[in-house]
């Protein structure tokens, strides 16, 4: 079949599918693209041809920022439990390098995204071409090499004959839950337009089977022996529980064995918030209930978690001197952490195996009752945080409460960086495994709106509430225009607090006095301590095509959210909030180094407090 390389890529991707448990999915469900001289004649022409001539072609969508396109693909893939994703194509130069942040986010979070940046001329006949980086070390270097360290698979297609093996290698990584992340195929612009006689077999329908890897019997037996030895076990549910669709299996094991469950950011939603064994969030942004049980746990059973520093409170959360870890993970890299007993397996398969192997084991009734009491006590704390009655502006916890009340059981909240992810982790009441979507692996400002767009494209039958602070909004709001163009309904809750609230708190905690974290005019002393800037983000959102509602109180916010549910298209609810009111404390710690010496008293005090926190840190070796 004689096709250009661009046409071959488009045709091949349209024929790829995944399958798990007998259910098939289209692997690449759509394209995002911004065209330039590096891809317009290759992939751009091929996508146009497919749209005009192939009734089964996947949809092309026009992005506004290349980083935002990758964020949308990551949000889509996460919502689809990594069984489907989107492809992103850019021109060479800044179009390609703009994707680096999105690629890093996808790889950190173990989410499959396919990146197809244009590249320089393979023939070098016109070098240096527009936007080419000339490197004196060699002519085979381009700016696309910046994508190598943040990609799980990277290849550059210098000749058309290389395309089949590269495409198959890319699909293998995209569909491997242990290896997945960003996958990059760099396509020189002249090669994209080059024709070649590709074998017909390359374009036949192909199904990539995603297995449920079973635990090795010896590893399972060792894990069971460790768990049976514990009077105070604790399960930490990570994102792998949700990606594996293992929430029912988790609940069955927890109930049968009487083991309380705490959740990571990615694992939040593994248990309904009101289950008597659900302790909620764990770690630096955790609940007092979960962290109390973490501190005394004798055996910690991690299911599908990569054990980030927030989850372990920088290795201070699990304080029992004899604590042991059992780690269930599809990736051996994560399963081996903290010198744990590694059970390399699919989360659902492992949980079902543990349920059978632990038959007859059950924790003491007093332990289970304590979990129920502490979970209920924390929920009462949440209720108070939702209704503080702070004046004159609402606290962020009240904003979260209003959105939580407005959201239905299957609706989705989307957030990323700043103070809101931590507050959501401990305060949001989850009722559905896919109802909580907070990107906290890379904690990337600007993810929220683009990621929310991807979530909505993946789950059009759910209402999607995007919660974004003014700092993140200013970094990347462009994909509002894409959502408007695609007639996608989004409810964006824009929380205005005139600065970086999260970093302001962190700055204060290390003695840096919130330096450089507020949006203020430069005053006569030359410092950024003047009056608030006259920035009107609500008007900005309206100029991008969104319907905008303004709210100054909690009651007005609740009314605006009700209107937003009834309004089609993109709605932005703008609300001012008080950045100085903290959410309930987690009684936890996070390791952020403090200057060892300073002329500032605030820093010296913070350093003494830091040393106190370090005393509870351990290596788990």
């Amino acid at each position: 079949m004689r096709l250009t390389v661009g046409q071959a890529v488009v045709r091949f991707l349209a024929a790829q599918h995944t399958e798990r448990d007998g259910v098939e999915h289209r692997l690449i469900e759509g394209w995002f693209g911004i065209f330039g001289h590096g891809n317009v004649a290759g992939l751009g022409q091929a996508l146009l041809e497919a749209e005009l001539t192939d009734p089964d072609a996947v949809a092309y969508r026009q992005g506004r920022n290349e980083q935002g396109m990758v964020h949308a693909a990551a949000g889509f893939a996460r919502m689809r439990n990594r069984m489907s994703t989107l492809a992103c194509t850019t021109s060479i130069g800044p179009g390609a390098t703009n994707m680096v942040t999105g690629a890093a986010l996808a790889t950190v979070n173990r989410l499959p995204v396919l990146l197809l940046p244009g590249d320089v001329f393979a023939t070098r006949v016109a070098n240096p071409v527009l936007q080419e980086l000339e490197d004196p070390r060699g002519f085979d270097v381009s700016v696309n090499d910046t994508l190598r360290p943040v990609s799980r698979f990277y290849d550059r297609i210098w000749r058309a004959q290389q395309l089949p093996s590269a495409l198959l290698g890319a699909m293998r990584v995209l569909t491997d839950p242990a290896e997945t992340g960003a996958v990059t195929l760099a396509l020189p612009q002249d090669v994209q337009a080059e024709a070649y006689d590709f074998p017909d077999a390359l374009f036949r329908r192909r199904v990539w089977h995603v297995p449920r890897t079973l635990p090795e019997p010896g590893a399972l037996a060792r894990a069971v022996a460790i768990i049976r030895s514990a009077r105070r076990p604790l399960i930490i549910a990570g994102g792998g529980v949700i990606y594996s669709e293992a929430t029912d299996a988790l609940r069955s094991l927890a109930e049968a064995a009487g083991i309380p469950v705490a959740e990571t950011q990615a694992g939040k939603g593994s248990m309904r918030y009101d289950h008597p064994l659900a302790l909620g969030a764990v770690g630096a942004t955790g609940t007092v209930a979960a962290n109390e049980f973490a501190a005394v746990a004798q055996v910690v059973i991690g299911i599908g978690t990569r054990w980030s520093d927030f989850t372990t409170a920088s290795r201070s959360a699990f304080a029992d001197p004899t604590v042991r870890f059992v780690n269930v993970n599809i990736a051996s890299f994560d399963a081996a952490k903290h010198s744990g007993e590694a059970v390399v397996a699919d989360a659902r398969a492992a949980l079902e195996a543990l349920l059978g192997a632990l038959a007859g084991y059950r924790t003491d009734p007093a332990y289970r009752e304590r979990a129920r009491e502490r979970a209920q006590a924390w929920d009462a704390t949440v209720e108070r945080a939702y209704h503080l009655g702070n004046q004159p502006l609402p606290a962020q916890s009240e904003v979260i409460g209003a959105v939580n009340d407005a959201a239905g059981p299957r609706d989705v909240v989307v957030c990323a960086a700043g103070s809101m992810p931590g507050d959501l982790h401990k305060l949001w009441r989850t009722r559905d495994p896919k109802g909580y979507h907070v990107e906290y692996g890379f904690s990337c400002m600007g993810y929220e709106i683009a990621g929310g767009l991807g979530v909505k494209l993946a789950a059009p039958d759910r209402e999607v509430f995007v919660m974004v602070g003014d700092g993140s909004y200013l970094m990347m709001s462009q994909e509002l225009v894409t959502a408007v163009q695609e007639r996608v309904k989004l409810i964006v809750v824009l929380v205005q607090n005139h600065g970086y609230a999260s970093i302001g708190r962190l700055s204060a905690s290390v003695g840096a006095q919130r330096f450089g974290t507020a949006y203020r005019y430069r005053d006569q002393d030359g410092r950024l301590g003047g009056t608030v800037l006259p920035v009107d983000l609500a008007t900005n959102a309206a100029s991008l095509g969104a319907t905008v509602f303004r709210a100054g109180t909690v009651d007005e916010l609740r009314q605006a959210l009700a209107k937003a549910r009834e309004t089609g298209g993109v709605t932005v609810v703008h609300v001012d909030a008080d950045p100085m009111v903290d959410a309930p404390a987690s009684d936890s710690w996070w390791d952020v180094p403090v200057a060892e010496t300073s002329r500032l008293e605030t820093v010296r005090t913070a350093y003494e407090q830091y040393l106190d926190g370090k005393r509870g840190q351990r290596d788990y070796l």
Side-chain angles (χ1 to χ4, degrees):
M1 188 178 296
R2 190 160 184 80
L3 300 168
T4 68
V5 166
Q7 292 161 359
V9 170
V10 171
R11 185 180 289 259
F12 173 86
L13 293 180
Q16 306 307 301
H17 297 76
T18 59
E19 177 273 327
R20 185 171 66 185
D21 301 334
V23 179
E24 291 190 5
H25 311 262
R26 200 165 197 171
L27 175 55
I28 306 298
E29 284 215 11
W31 288 74
F32 271 106
I34 298 177
F35 295 118
H37 68 290
N39 63 344
V40 66
L43 287 173
Q45 182 280 329
L47 287 167
L48 168 66
E49 185 172 306
E51 185 175 283
L52 294 177
T53 63
D54 183 0
D56 197 38
V58 296
Y60 160 75
R61 295 181 176 91
Q62 189 179 65
R64 266 66 193 180
N65 180 283
E66 292 87 357
Q67 181 186 149
M69 298 190 316
V70 186
H71 290 337
F76 186 98
R78 176 170 167 176
M79 199 64 193
R80 290 292 183 86
N81 290 329
R82 306 191 295 198
M83 302 300 291
S84 300
T85 188
L86 305 173
C88 301
T89 178
T90 72
S91 185
I92 72 170
T97 56
N98 276 352
M99 292 200 294
V100 173
T101 297
L105 179 147
T107 295
V108 165
N109 286 285
R110 279 65 161 168
L111 295 171
V113 296
L114 178 60
L115 313 181
L116 298 159
D119 212 322
V120 298
F121 275 72
T123 59
R124 303 178 185 171
V125 66
N127 287 16
V129 298
L130 179 64
Q131 299 176 327
E132 178 177 351
L133 172 75
E134 292 188 276
D135 192 319
R137 293 171 297 179
F139 294 123
D140 62 341
V141 176
S142 83
V143 296
N144 287 351
D145 288 283
T146 60
L147 286 158
R148 285 185 185 270
V150 293
S151 298
R152 295 293 286 162
F153 181 90
Y154 179 98
D155 199 4
R156 182 180 281 116
I157 314 304
W158 291 114
R159 300 183 63 173
Q161 294 95 321
Q162 298 171 339
L163 185 64
S165 61
L167 286 172
L168 293 171
M171 297 306 104
R172 179 192 65 80
V173 174
L174 285 175
T175 58
D176 184 339
E179 294 290 329
T180 197
V183 167
T184 300
L185 295 181
L187 298 168
Q189 54 185 301
D190 54 342
V191 174
Q192 285 186 48
E194 178 185 339
Y196 181 74
D197 293 321
F198 291 98
D200 292 350
L202 182 64
F203 307 109
R204 292 174 189 159
R205 188 177 190 275
R206 186 184 299 269
V207 179
W208 298 83
H209 298 277
V210 180
R212 290 201 179 276
T213 303
L214 299 176
E216 189 266 324
L220 181 67
R222 291 189 294 271
V224 168
I226 292 171
I227 296 168
R228 284 185 177 275
S229 72
R231 291 183 297 107
R232 298 189 302 272
L234 176 66
I235 292 173
I236 307 296
V241 173
I242 294 175
Y243 298 145
S244 181
E245 299 173 288
T247 54
D248 289 343
L250 172 66
R251 186 179 64 253
S252 295
L253 176 63
E255 291 173 349
I259 304 177
V261 177
E263 298 168 324
T264 70
Q265 277 280 15
K268 190 171 173 68
S270 297
M271 297 275 281
R272 271 186 63 101
Y273 81 96
D274 53 359
H275 192 284
L277 289 169
L279 298 172
V282 70
T285 54
T287 71
V288 170
N291 286 333
E292 176 186 306
F293 273 71
V296 300
Q298 295 166 319
V299 172
V300 181
I301 309 160
I303 312 290
T305 176
R306 65 189 186 93
W307 293 119
S308 77
D309 65 336
F310 262 63
T311 298
T312 67
S314 298
R315 298 192 177 190
S316 68
F318 306 104
D320 188 289
T322 64
V323 66
R324 302 177 71 183
F325 288 81
V326 171
N327 298 325
V328 174
N329 205 293
I330 195 68
S332 61
F333 178 82
D334 291 319
K337 290 177 178 176
H338 300 309
S339 295
E341 182 59 52
V343 181
V344 179
D346 169 79
R348 194 167 91 184
L351 284 165
E352 290 170 349
L354 285 171
L355 178 63
L358 286 169
Y361 169 80
R362 190 162 173 79
T363 60
D364 188 83
Y367 185 67
R368 303 194 299 272
E369 178 61 19
R370 178 67 174 170
R372 185 190 66 81
E373 290 174 354
R374 299 305 290 146
Q376 286 186 346
W378 180 259
D379 195 55
T381 299
V382 172
E383 187 67 17
R384 289 192 295 272
Y386 278 7
H387 302 93
L388 281 180
N390 193 66
Q391 295 293 336
L393 296 176
Q396 186 162 271
S397 65
E398 294 178 277
V399 175
I400 291 172
V403 178
N404 207 165
D405 290 344
R410 294 185 69 255
D411 295 342
V412 187
V413 63
V414 179
C415 192
S419 60
M420 272 192 290
D423 291 355
L424 285 164
H425 192 207
K426 65 179 72 169
L427 298 178
W428 188 264
R429 290 165 166 165
T430 51
R431 292 165 286 176
D432 183 272
K434 302 304 295 184
Y436 183 87
H437 186 112
V438 172
E439 190 287 300
Y440 217 52
F442 207 48
S443 187
C444 184
M445 295 183 72
Y447 173 85
E448 295 90 343
I449 292 172
L453 171 60
V455 169
K456 185 65 176 183
L457 291 173
D461 60 330
R462 295 176 185 250
E463 202 77 79
V464 176
F465 292 84
V466 174
M467 298 195 70
V468 60
D470 54 318
S472 256
Y473 180 91
L474 285 166
M475 288 205 176
M476 190 170 295
S477 58
Q478 301 96 315
E479 301 315 317
L480 282 178
V481 180
T482 303
V484 169
Q485 181 179 46
E486 296 292 333
R487 305 182 188 277
V488 171
K489 184 180 181 185
L490 283 180
I491 299 175
V492 178
V493 181
L494 173 52
V495 181
Q496 172 64 272
N497 49 39
H498 303 286
Y500 301 120
S502 175
I503 300 303
R505 293 174 188 171
L506 182 63
S507 174
S509 74
V510 300
Q513 304 175 17
R514 297 180 179 264
F515 175 71
T517 63
Y519 296 161
R520 300 291 187 271
Y521 277 112
R522 190 170 298 281
D523 60 24
Q524 293 180 343
D525 295 330
R527 305 191 66 194
L528 297 176
T531 56
V532 173
L533 300 178
V535 175
D536 188 345
L537 298 183
T539 297
N540 174 265
S543 76
L544 298 178
T547 300
V548 176
F549 299 107
R550 296 176 185 261
T553 67
V554 174
D555 287 341
E556 291 174 356
L557 174 59
R558 292 181 182 276
Q559 295 168 14
L561 290 168
K563 292 178 182 177
R565 290 194 69 105
E566 299 168 358
T567 304
V570 178
T571 303
V572 172
V573 178
H574 180 282
V575 58
D576 287 280
D578 188 340
M580 304 305 290
V581 182
D582 292 338
S586 64
D587 290 349
S588 190
W589 180 73
W590 184 38
D591 191 345
V592 177
V594 180
E596 288 192 42
T597 181
S598 173
R599 288 177 290 176
L600 301 178
E601 179 62 29
T602 53
V603 176
R604 294 197 295 270
T605 300
Y607 183 66
E608 292 302 318
Q609 295 170 344
Y610 175 69
L611 292 180
D612 287 340
K614 289 287 285 184
R615 292 186 182 98
Q617 197 173 38
R618 56 188 303 179
D619 291 331
Y620 302 128
L621 295 177

